[in-house]
Amino acid sequence: RAELIEAGHVFRTGSDIETLVHLYEQVGERCVERLVGMFAFAIVDLRVAARPKLFLGRDRMGIKPMYWQRTAEGLSFGSEAKALLVLERTSREFRGSALVEDAWSGIQRLLPGHVLPWSQGEEPRTASYWRVPASGVREPASAVEILEWTDRVVESRMIADVPLGAFLSGGVDSTAVATSMAAASADPIVACSVGFADARFDELDTARETAKRLGAIHHTAILDPDPTIALEILPWLYDEPLADPSTVPTYLVSRMAREHVKVALAGDGGDEVFAGYRRYVFDEAENRVRARLGAPGRTAARLLGSVYPKLDWAPRFLRAQSTLRNLGRDPAAAYWASVCPSTREEIDGLLAPELRAALRGHDPLDRFRDHYDRPTDVEPLFRAQYADFHGFLPDRILCKTDRASMGVGLEVRVPLLDHRFVERFLTLPSREKVRAGRGKHAFREALRERVPASVLDGRKMGFDVPLRDWLRGPLAEPVRDAVETLPGDWFDRGALRTLFAEHASGHRDRSDLLWALLVLEHWRRRHHVRGIAA
């Protein structure tokens, strides 16, 4: 704003939106290069009356959504798919690939870090203005540098003219963000934390200790996640079928926080930047073993994995089937298998024969592999993170948080996904991320002077829910109903009934697939989906 005023622009309001308009006037479509943080916007340029222009932009990480659709009348856009559905310019059909990938036929997502300039009579063409760093692993970072950057990106997200606070769990990332907030604020910060009635998923005691140490104004609540939210509220907020059960507690946490603040800072992105997920640790270990086995050993592992029993009920050390199979796969396929809760074979076994045949040439692994293979001369761990930045992060994690929070009128900011922070720390060497069987090594060690060991060395819990128990308890009947009402030209009814019976009897844990089917059916009903596009 100050630069634009100096360049001669006259502002009429204090709105940040007006700053964006003047910036576009000054530098045109390159305006996105000057923006930091989360955004999705549309600018209509009417300066040439005979040829008006539309310019769509989306932030680099995909924190905010943007959908668009080419129709006979022109180009429609919106921050939600249902904003386009209401125009009745689409058939309300969905892609057959939606059972394993995207949803609506005819509606496109503007990808993270992309723009779409368009004028009447042109075909829409998107263009990338920023990409996740894909080349070279940089030098290790000092603790001082990591802390300085964390403080910088957090403080920059604290500018607000409405009540502001933080999501605070017992985890490393939210604690790091809240700690930097407290250091930058002259007044006590507001922290919002939830505990769960099921002690297996509760971190509230740790959050209370952190809030007390920071002198925060701490709002807490004990939640007993209501799974029926997934049937009544979430199908509307998530107008694409997002089969992540943590959408339920994410919505409840957002609703609780909205009672106290209008803007909340969260720790999303720390796991992707510093390799905090358990699957990154397993992937590192598997790649080391795979390299030692050689081709004959990998073949033997794959064959052994094909006959080893699944043993869902057994202690973890006996459940070796997935590890053996992964050791026999190439690194990309092995990591993809660790991200997906269900195998392609399991999904194919549920599909109606005609749809199964139509999808035979379509495999989401292909798109994932395109991203996984793009970096050159780097370690497998970085490849996995790079691919997650192009799929898992924007399509699942950020989508989940954005829809749940905006559904209750709460703005959630994610400072650890500042693109400058990502550029610096995503490319740290693997030994700075995964060490001694734990992820996020460099970040943890940098925080030791600020954060107690109870947080840094505690067990990672995440936002897990008792999904298996839900589907044998309060959601048993809704799942049984979905099994009977999902369209017969989509699914093999007998296979669905067998799946449900296996779970209900306790013989096997089929909760991931059953939850996905439940979400799909209630999304189909809520949005009046008419069928599968040809």
Side-chain angles (χ1 to χ4, degrees):
R1 179 184 177 96
E3 291 177 21
L4 291 166
I5 291 172
E6 187 175 346
H9 291 263
V10 178
F11 282 73
R12 295 176 180 153
T13 74
S15 167
D16 52 356
I17 300 301
E18 188 181 0
T19 305
L20 179 59
V21 174
H22 286 290
L23 180 61
Y24 176 80
E25 286 184 308
Q26 183 73 15
V27 300
E29 296 174 5
R30 295 188 61 187
C31 62
V32 287
E33 299 173 11
R34 297 295 313 278
L35 303 180
V36 174
M38 60 185 189
F39 58 85
F41 66 79
I43 292 176
V44 180
D45 187 345
L46 302 175
R47 289 176 296 182
V48 180
R51 192 169 177 78
K53 289 182 177 181
L54 173 68
F55 183 64
L56 306 182
R58 189 180 181 195
D59 67 70
R60 296 165 179 83
M61 301 299 152
I63 304 165
K64 286 296 174 185
M66 174 66 82
Y67 294 87
W68 62 275
Q69 180 182 32
R70 182 71 164 98
T71 67
E73 294 84 1
L75 192 141
S76 305
F77 59 90
S79 58
E80 300 175 277
K82 54 181 170 285
L84 304 182
L85 293 174
V86 78
L87 298 174
E88 295 298 337
R89 292 171 183 166
T90 180
S91 62
R92 285 187 184 263
E93 294 179 320
F94 79 116
R95 301 183 181 98
S97 63
L99 293 171
V100 287
E101 205 165 30
D102 291 341
W104 293 107
S105 176
I107 295 178
Q108 308 288 327
R109 293 177 184 145
L110 185 61
L111 294 176
H114 279 65
V115 295
L116 196 167
W118 181 79
S119 295
Q120 187 72 37
E122 297 179 350
E123 282 304 308
R125 289 185 174 84
T126 64
S128 169
Y129 68 90
W130 184 87
R131 295 185 185 278
V132 178
S135 60
V137 174
R138 295 181 60 178
E139 71 279 0
S142 68
V144 170
E145 183 183 10
I146 292 173
L147 294 178
E148 286 180 348
W149 264 109
T150 302
D151 290 341
R152 188 181 310 169
V153 296
V154 168
E155 186 173 5
S156 71
R157 267 60 175 192
M158 293 176 65
I159 302 170
D161 53 8
V162 295
L164 176 141
F167 281 161
L168 179 61
S169 70
V172 172
D173 300 326
S174 70
T175 302
V177 169
T179 301
S180 290
M181 287 180 69
S185 177
D187 301 313
I189 66 167
V190 176
C192 299
S193 306
V194 296
F196 295 98
D198 190 327
R200 293 174 296 173
F201 311 112
D202 185 59
E203 295 179 299
L204 190 52
D205 286 345
T206 306
R208 285 193 179 107
E209 292 174 6
T210 298
K212 182 178 179 180
R213 178 173 53 82
L214 297 178
I217 298 169
H218 196 204
H219 299 289
T220 64
I222 301 293
L223 302 179
D224 191 1
D226 178 2
T228 60
I229 288 173
L231 314 181
E232 300 163 1
I233 298 175
L234 299 187
W236 176 251
L237 297 183
Y238 295 91
D239 45 23
E240 295 178 287
L242 180 62
D244 183 342
S246 67
T247 53
V248 174
T250 301
Y251 171 79
L252 291 171
V253 168
S254 298
R255 191 174 68 182
M256 174 267 187
R258 181 60 183 82
E259 296 174 2
H260 307 286
V261 297
K262 292 187 177 181
V263 176
L265 271 61
D268 292 20
D271 284 316
E272 286 79 11
V273 173
F274 291 104
Y277 293 125
R278 283 188 289 267
R279 66 174 181 266
Y280 291 137
V281 178
F282 296 152
D283 188 62
E284 271 285 275
E286 286 176 359
N287 278 312
R288 287 196 299 270
V289 174
R290 191 180 290 112
R292 293 171 185 167
L293 287 176
R298 292 194 293 271
T299 300
R302 182 170 62 252
L303 292 173
L304 185 57
S306 67
V307 298
Y308 194 92
K310 192 165 176 58
L311 301 182
D312 288 330
W313 50 268
R316 184 177 294 274
F317 72 92
L318 290 177
R319 287 180 275 165
Q321 184 192 73
S322 59
T323 299
L324 289 168
R325 286 184 172 181
N326 269 0
L327 290 174
R329 296 180 171 114
D330 66 84
Y335 183 74
W336 175 250
S338 72
V339 174
C340 299
S342 305
T343 67
R344 181 60 188 269
E345 292 75 21
E346 288 176 315
I347 295 171
D348 281 351
L350 301 177
L351 301 182
E354 297 81 5
L355 182 56
R356 186 187 313 133
L359 290 177
R360 189 162 292 144
H362 176 86
D363 192 341
L365 172 59
D366 295 337
R367 188 173 72 168
F368 172 85
R369 194 184 292 279
D370 286 343
H371 295 303
Y372 187 94
D373 291 341
R374 189 170 299 160
T376 57
D377 300 324
V378 295
E379 301 150 320
L381 175 60
F382 177 78
R383 292 180 182 275
Q385 292 175 271
Y386 182 89
D388 279 348
F389 265 85
H390 290 84
F392 180 80
L393 178 64
D395 297 343
R396 181 168 169 177
I397 299 299
L398 296 176
C399 173
K400 173 183 68 176
T401 301
D402 177 75
R403 307 307 193 277
S405 58
M406 294 305 292
V408 298
L410 177 72
E411 177 185 327
V412 175
R413 301 174 181 177
V414 284
L416 301 185
L417 286 175
D418 184 302
H419 72 277
R420 301 162 301 181
F421 191 87
V422 171
E423 287 172 341
R424 174 58 188 102
F425 300 118
L426 178 64
T427 55
L428 289 176
S430 293
R431 67 182 182 278
E432 294 296 302
K433 299 170 184 172
V434 174
R435 193 181 299 187
R438 289 195 319 173
K440 218 177 295 183
H441 173 75
F443 199 39
R444 289 178 196 271
E445 295 310 305
L447 290 167
R448 285 210 182 270
E449 66 180 64
R450 299 181 174 183
V451 177
S454 59
V455 173
L456 298 176
D457 301 326
R459 181 170 66 92
K460 183 176 179 60
M461 298 184 73
F463 248 5
D464 291 333
V465 297
L467 190 57
R468 180 182 60 186
D469 299 337
W470 282 0
L471 297 177
R472 289 181 183 146
L475 288 181
E477 283 308 309
V479 171
R480 188 194 304 272
D481 176 60
V483 162
E484 298 300 326
T485 59
L486 278 160
D489 57 343
W490 299 8
F491 292 101
D492 180 327
R493 187 83 58 210
L496 296 187
R497 289 169 177 164
T498 298
L499 185 78
F500 178 77
E502 286 179 343
H503 186 82
S505 68
H507 179 63
R508 289 186 67 183
D509 181 1
R510 309 309 301 266
S511 52
D512 286 323
L513 275 171
L514 289 172
W515 176 264
L517 292 167
L518 183 69
V519 168
L520 180 67
E521 173 59 358
H522 282 268
W523 166 79
R524 183 187 73 86
R525 296 179 191 176
R526 184 64 182 84
H527 296 284
H528 310 292
V529 180
R530 299 189 180 116
I532 297 178

